[in-house]
Amino acid sequence: MTSASPARDPRPATIASIAEELGVSVTTVSKVLNGRPDVAPDTRERVEAGLARHRYRRRSKRRTLKGQIDLVFHELNSMWSMEIIRGVDAVAAAARIEVVLSQLNGAHLPPDEWLDGVLDHRPLGVLFVMSRPSQSQQQKLRRAQVPFVVVDTDGEIAESVPVVGSNNWDGGLLATRHLLELGHRRIAVVSGPKDVMCSRARVAGFRVAHDEAGLAVDPDLVRYGNFYVDAGYEHSMDLLTRPDRPTAIFAGSDLQALGVLRAARRLGLDVPGDLSVVGYDNVPVAGWVEPALTTVGQPLRDMATVATQMLLDLARGVEPATSRIDLANELVVRESTAPPGSRAAVTPAAPGARPRLRGEAR
């Protein structure tokens, strides 16, 4: 009599399945696999144990890639773009792959002549940032066996298209909950363009936070900008000169938040004493402006590294475990938010020193 061997799961473990089992992000598992130092020791230990338990190994016989990838932005003129570029370059440089950079001058759908130029030089793949190929362009790319991945898609896109982004709805929720918990009840939002999906998702999160608190949203306080300083400034000058002005503004990007700060300064309003401001993205300048900006930290570099690795895997003929990856955001609280009417807000002190109130003698 022979004994039956234990049943085994026929499906091999993937980074995504291990991440789900451990309750961590795909990015965290990838960082551990790549020996990155920016993982907490206890988390690293859990991930390494999970990888060992599943006997997960990176494929050793991966086809060596030679060539270049095309990185195309809808528009290339912000610190946000630089964070994406740094993430792409980190993966591409390690793989000794060149990156060709281009932009669409604000358009979200590339013109056919642009795609024809890309197909002429046959890249390993294409990364579309805040842009996407049309259905017919997707077919052309697939016929030419040129894989593509979309980073932070501007709109709805077919399930078959690999997309890496972040949870924009949750980001809007986090920002608005923070302001409501501080006691603000009249909050404006200046999001990005209305025709861009992440802008609408952030406003949706803003609305849900109000619903949770049992508060109605004043439609006059919901604005759509362009993610740049000028829109933040112009909308804020209008909002803050109203007799019933908001006590807080949630800006759809850190650049728009800079425009809000400038409008407040122009009108003689103290931030955060008279007005609280929350940005979005957590680009490096957010921590250096005065006051330092409370913002929703979007993992831009991680989005770019995950998307680039996915693209290189596709170029090697390795299908991703999932075609949709949304990385988590986090609220980064700094000095630009406080309870409404708190001109005597505490300012940061040197380490070990007692915090000093605004207006208190040094």
Side-chain angles (χ1 to χ4, degrees):
M1 182 176 178
T2 59
S3 59
S5 59
R8 293 183 179 178
D9 188 340
R11 297 167 299 176
T14 65
I15 291 179
S17 67
I18 293 171
E20 183 178 4
E21 175 187 309
L22 298 175
V24 299
S25 68
V26 171
T27 305
T28 298
V29 178
S30 180
K31 285 179 178 179
V32 172
L33 278 168
N34 289 302
R36 290 267 297 273
D38 51 338
V39 179
D42 58 333
T43 303
R44 181 183 299 278
E45 187 176 340
R46 283 200 305 120
V47 172
E48 287 175 344
L51 292 168
R53 185 166 58 254
H54 288 283
R55 299 180 181 178
Y56 182 88
R57 295 289 184 275
R58 280 195 178 278
R59 296 172 179 84
S60 57
K61 295 182 179 180
R62 302 175 101 182
R63 180 164 63 89
T64 300
L65 296 177
K66 293 182 180 179
Q68 64 190 36
I69 59 176
D70 273 46
L71 173 61
V72 56
F73 287 82
H74 82 294
E75 197 165 27
L76 186 61
N77 62 351
S78 73
M79 293 172 281
W80 182 94
S81 304
M82 289 306 303
E83 292 299 295
I84 296 289
I85 291 170
R86 289 187 178 103
V88 172
D89 183 64
V91 176
R96 298 184 178 181
I97 300 296
E98 294 181 349
V99 179
V100 175
L101 187 63
S102 60
Q103 65 166 336
L104 303 176
N105 296 314
H108 295 287
L109 291 172
D112 287 336
E113 54 268 27
W114 176 88
L115 183 63
D116 291 340
V118 169
L119 293 178
D120 282 345
H121 67 252
R122 274 300 178 89
L124 291 170
V126 183
L127 282 171
F128 292 93
V129 184
M130 197 72 81
S131 58
R132 57 197 161 95
S134 66
Q135 287 283 356
S136 63
Q137 291 170 341
Q138 292 175 36
Q139 292 170 4
K140 283 185 179 180
L141 286 164
R142 291 189 176 109
R143 281 198 298 268
Q145 296 185 318
V146 176
F148 55 93
V149 175
V150 176
V151 183
D152 205 9
T153 177
D154 69 298
E156 297 293 339
I157 199 163
E159 287 292 330
S160 60
V161 176
V163 176
V164 178
S166 68
N167 193 330
N168 291 285
W169 179 88
D170 185 63
L173 187 72
L174 287 173
T176 313
R177 275 180 177 169
H178 171 63
L179 293 169
L180 290 168
E181 287 167 0
L182 288 172
H184 293 277
R185 292 297 178 266
R186 189 158 179 79
I187 306 169
V189 58
V190 182
S191 195
K194 195 170 186 176
D195 63 344
V196 173
M197 188 164 65
C198 66
S199 302
R200 300 194 303 272
R202 292 169 196 176
V203 172
F206 170 85
R207 293 183 185 279
V208 168
H210 280 79
D211 289 343
E212 289 179 341
L215 298 171
V217 173
D218 183 344
D220 288 341
L221 300 186
V222 178
R223 306 293 179 90
Y224 290 91
N226 58 11
F227 285 139
Y228 297 111
V229 176
D230 60 322
Y233 176 78
E234 290 165 7
H235 280 295
S236 296
M237 287 297 291
D238 180 55
L239 288 164
L240 297 175
T241 52
R242 297 166 57 103
D244 55 349
R245 67 174 179 81
T247 62
I249 295 179
F250 165 37
S253 72
D254 291 338
L255 289 182
Q256 283 193 162
L258 295 184
V260 177
L261 293 177
R262 181 171 182 179
R265 190 176 303 114
R266 178 67 60 89
L267 296 170
L269 297 175
D270 176 71
V271 175
D274 298 316
L275 177 73
S276 284
V277 181
V278 179
Y280 205 104
D281 291 330
N282 197 28
V283 295
V285 73
W288 287 97
V289 296
E290 181 63 36
L293 187 64
T294 293
T295 186
V296 176
Q298 186 174 202
L300 298 173
R301 289 198 199 186
D302 287 342
M303 287 160 53
T305 58
V306 169
T308 308
Q309 189 60 63
M310 183 185 289
L311 185 70
L312 295 183
D313 283 344
L314 286 167
R316 293 184 178 101
V318 179
E319 288 297 318
T322 178
S323 63
R324 297 296 166 107
I325 297 177
D326 269 344
L327 303 183
N329 300 306
E330 63 174 344
L331 182 69
V332 181
V333 179
R334 296 194 179 102
E335 301 166 15
S336 66
T337 51
S342 56
R343 269 190 175 270
V346 176
T347 59
R354 180 180 66 82
R356 180 173 56 84
L357 297 179
R358 285 195 171 93
E360 182 180 355
R362 293 181 179 273

